[in-house]
Amino acid sequence: MIKQKEYARRRRQLMRMAGEESIIILQAAPARLRNNDVYFPYRQDSDFLYLTGFREHDALLVLLPEEKGGKSILFCRDRDPEREMWDGRMVGLEAAVSEYGMDEAYEIKEAETRLRAMLQDMERIYYDLGRDPMFDQRLIGWLNEFRGEARKTFHAPEEIHALDHMLHDMRVYKSREELSAMRRSAKVAIEAHEIAMQICEPGLNEADVHASLLHTFTRHQCEPSYLPIVGGGANACVLHYISNKDVLNDGDLLLIDAGAEYDGYASDITRTFPVNGKFSSEQRALYDVVLAAQAAAIGKARSGEQWQDVHDAAIHVATEGMIDLGILKGSLEDHLESKGYKQFYIHNTGHWLGLDVHDVGEYTIDGHSRELEPGMVMTIEPGIYIGPEEQSVDECWRGIGIRIEDNIAITPDEPRILTDGLARSAEEVEALMAG
Ligand code: GLY
Ligand code: MN
Ligand code: MN
């Protein structure tokens, strides 16, 4: 688990970046209704979680860099025995200080009055507008009020600065503790994929495999980091397929995209394998193209290379492979130039990974592709999808969708594959399924 010391370090770093005479304000994610009086399982806002480790709704964090070494103030609900009879143990004000390392904690009901007073004499507010329109209005309302009064009695902040530039850039670089949480969420996902491969056989339903994935995550006290995709046959060509209810047929491939969330951190793994345990020659040929594209991309996942180099390496190998198999006609140069490969290579080769599956952080800086640096974590997930109705290719390729996705940490030297250990090559996959 991420320790309180680390959350405190993150708050200090953010306060240092914001500078004195700033006030930083963040809100917890609201509880969300699913229907009538049933709520979705609660998930804390990732920025809020990153700075507090606090997992309750109805909370507000205020950071004051100006106070000696910076001051952290949490507004939250106090413990309430009656409420706890229904929902279980709450953190409360006392533990917010003693266990969550806050300097002060107050009832969330007091947040507005206290916050309004804290704003006076501040130079800058760091707060992300647009997430909670009601709160935005209140904040802007106070600033307007202050403008009238301020000239007489106190200095009032003039502007609201976006917080996410600073905070999201911090989140891009993972600490040792974060990498170890991510390795753990990867390990759970590896086990879930292994069991799915082992139980898979013709006649099983996608729902059986889906249930097995959830079983493994839950046993390890993890949640799925997103709804698993379990797509047999041509369902693999539907990129966000989540209905997961069709029968798995002999001779088809099964694409599973599933990851676990541990201590807030996501893994995101895709494997594609034959339902009956043995690739057909066409499936194998196309699988090896995607695998080679992934290997080329992983080879570029090094400090000093650029984000775009990773994608370009995968595209180059995948396009060449599709031309060799007769799936794409024409020359490599023409396809790379015209992006003709996009007919079958539809999505990007990866994304940042962390507290969010599609994690925050810029991919370009000043119009240039971002340079990779140690501590960054990304997915590398090349995919080729040939729809069942695709007339431009030989019939034998139709309805095949293949993606291979792993999670990579950039280090000062070799890329570190957090999802290593899970069968990846066709031989490894067949051996695991036979075993
Ligand atoms: N599972 C979502 C993705 O691969 O990006
Ligand atoms: Mn995925
Ligand atoms: Mn992904």
Side-chain angles (χ1 to χ4, degrees):
M1 295 285 274
I2 305 288
K3 300 205 176 68
Q4 277 312 317
K5 237 171 47 192
E6 168 136 348
Y7 290 115
R9 184 187 59 72
R10 294 170 182 176
R11 292 194 295 271
R12 276 200 307 275
Q13 187 182 342
L14 182 64
M15 286 191 266
R16 247 194 329 269
M17 289 162 86
E20 293 191 354
E21 294 177 6
S22 304
I23 178 168
I24 301 169
I25 306 168
L26 280 103
Q27 276 193 290
R32 289 191 171 86
L33 269 182
R34 182 173 188 270
N35 59 309
N36 199 8
D37 56 0
V38 175
Y39 284 84
F40 282 106
Y42 183 70
R43 170 57 157 75
Q44 187 55 278
D45 173 80
S46 293
D47 285 339
F48 200 91
L49 190 60
Y50 183 76
L51 292 172
T52 61
F54 190 78
R55 288 179 160 77
E56 290 181 13
H57 48 83
D58 289 308
L60 183 95
L61 176 70
V62 176
L63 302 178
L64 298 171
E66 189 170 30
E67 309 273 337
K68 198 161 155 273
K71 190 191 240 179
S72 303
I73 303 170
L74 186 71
F75 293 92
C76 63
R77 298 171 304 168
D78 202 4
R79 294 188 61 194
D80 170 358
E82 202 175 326
R83 192 70 261 152
E84 289 189 350
M85 270 183 67
W86 293 89
D87 296 334
R89 172 93 191 214
M90 299 160 80
V91 172
L93 304 184
E94 235 179 85
V97 174
S98 61
E99 289 172 30
Y100 288 80
M102 296 293 149
D103 296 295
E104 293 171 19
Y106 301 104
E107 287 246 25
I108 185 72
K109 286 187 286 226
E110 295 177 27
E112 295 204 357
T113 334
R114 287 186 180 272
L115 187 57
R116 190 181 179 283
M118 283 180 212
L119 290 174
Q120 301 177 8
D121 288 327
M122 290 294 166
E123 195 67 43
R124 287 173 300 277
I125 301 174
Y126 283 96
Y127 167 78
D128 285 327
L129 288 163
R131 295 188 190 188
D132 179 349
M134 297 260 282
F135 192 81
D136 294 356
Q137 269 184 5
R138 219 158 298 146
L139 200 58
I140 293 164
W142 289 334
L143 296 195
N144 286 335
E145 265 177 59
F146 293 163
R147 272 190 198 113
E149 298 171 29
R151 281 181 205 97
K152 292 170 247 149
T153 48
F154 56 85
H155 186 79
E158 293 285 328
E159 290 158 21
I160 300 175
H161 295 260
L163 177 61
D164 56 8
H165 302 305
M166 283 188 304
L167 186 52
H168 291 178
D169 206 57
M170 281 172 63
R171 282 178 52 190
V172 169
Y173 302 93
K174 272 71 178 178
S175 67
R176 246 206 347 226
E177 284 79 2
E178 289 182 287
L179 289 171
S180 110
M182 294 187 77
R183 173 64 182 161
R184 178 135 173 204
S185 86
K187 274 191 166 161
V188 173
I190 289 170
E191 185 179 324
H193 278 266
E194 279 176 347
I195 294 173
M197 284 185 209
Q198 283 163 339
I199 62 165
C200 186
E201 61 182 16
L204 213 62
N205 195 285
E206 291 167 350
D208 295 309
V209 179
H210 184 171
S212 165
L213 295 164
L214 297 184
H215 178 80
T216 309
F217 294 159
T218 311
R219 276 188 55 233
H220 289 287
Q221 300 166 35
C222 288
E223 291 148 77
S225 51
Y226 51 91
L227 276 179
I229 296 171
V230 184
N235 290 342
C237 300
V238 181
L239 294 180
H240 290 164
Y241 179 77
I242 49 164
S243 75
N244 304 346
K245 285 184 184 65
D246 284 354
V247 171
L248 297 168
N249 296 315
D250 199 0
D252 278 350
L253 292 175
L254 172 60
L255 181 152
I256 299 179
D257 184 344
E261 183 176 305
Y262 171 75
D263 204 8
Y265 288 87
S267 51
D268 180 8
I269 303 181
T270 307
R271 286 294 182 269
T272 312
F273 55 90
V275 169
N276 64 15
K278 194 101 186 80
F279 286 93
S280 74
S281 60
E282 285 88 6
Q283 289 167 350
R284 170 69 191 261
L286 201 56
Y287 189 87
D288 285 344
V289 169
V290 179
L291 186 70
Q294 197 205 29
I298 293 174
K300 286 285 181 190
R302 288 168 179 278
S303 178
E305 301 283 354
Q306 288 178 6
W307 172 266
Q308 186 64 31
D309 298 333
V310 174
H311 180 62
D312 289 346
I315 288 295
H316 191 107
V317 173
T319 306
E320 206 164 39
M322 286 191 280
I323 292 170
D324 288 346
L325 295 177
I327 293 169
L328 286 175
K329 322 264 175 325
S331 74
L332 178 63
E333 291 68 32
D334 287 349
H335 275 291
L336 294 179
E337 172 80 25
S338 68
K339 300 194 192 304
Y341 55 81
K342 280 195 163 182
Q343 191 179 356
F344 304 120
Y345 195 115
I346 298 159
H347 55 71
N348 265 324
T349 305
H351 49 83
W352 303 129
L353 184 70
L355 286 171
D356 293 324
V357 179
H358 291 183
D359 208 25
V360 294
E362 300 294 341
Y363 292 95
T364 56
I365 289 181
D366 295 332
H368 296 287
S369 181
R370 185 169 191 169
E371 194 175 299
L372 300 179
E373 296 172 71
M376 295 173 161
V377 179
M378 65 202 295
T379 68
I380 297 192
E381 49 177 309
I384 294 178
Y385 312 91
I386 305 175
E389 314 289 340
E390 180 60 51
Q391 297 303 313
S392 73
V393 299
D394 197 280
E395 204 182 329
C396 67
W397 303 113
R398 291 180 199 157
I400 299 183
I402 297 171
R403 173 164 71 254
I404 307 173
E405 175 173 30
D406 284 279
N407 305 160
I408 316 293
I410 307 298
T411 79
D413 18 74
E414 296 297 306
R416 177 175 169 211
I417 306 179
L418 297 173
T419 44
D420 221 9
L422 177 60
R424 191 184 301 118
S425 71
E427 290 88 355
E428 287 166 349
V429 167
E430 288 183 349
L432 179 68
M433 295 185 76

